[in-house]
Amino acid sequence: MGSINTPIQIEIKTVNPFEIKAKTKALTDLSKLDNDVLSKLAELSKNAKAIEQLKTNFPMIKGFLSN
């Protein structure tokens, strides 16, 4: 089955203009995920504890999930 490309416009909030490129790249990468995974990540993004764990323990989490 082919894919459907649908351009969208969203508002990106940044502290400074240099963050725009990084946030755009991250959102583009996320858009390539299947709907189930993307929905689960969106659910985690609403949980302050999950966000804090990602911020403080990311190297450990990444190492645990890497080959």
Side-chain angles (χ1 to χ4, degrees):
M1 180 190 293
S3 62
I4 300 171
N5 292 331
T6 305
I8 63 169
Q9 184 174 350
I10 60 173
E11 184 176 321
I12 299 174
K13 297 184 188 297
T14 62
V15 176
N16 62 59
F18 303 107
E19 290 182 351
I20 294 172
K21 186 175 182 178
K23 282 193 173 191
T24 301
K25 167 119 176 55
L27 290 169
T28 300
D29 291 345
L30 288 171
S31 75
K32 296 173 186 171
L33 297 173
D34 68 52
N35 196 43
D36 183 51
V37 173
L38 190 58
S39 295
K40 289 174 181 175
L41 287 172
E43 185 177 335
L44 287 175
S45 75
K46 297 172 188 170
N47 183 310
K49 187 174 181 179
I51 292 169
E52 187 60 33
Q53 289 295 317
L54 281 171
K55 286 181 177 181
T56 58
N57 297 314
F58 184 71
M60 181 188 68
I61 294 167
K62 184 178 178 183
F64 178 72
L65 299 173
S66 297
N67 294 340

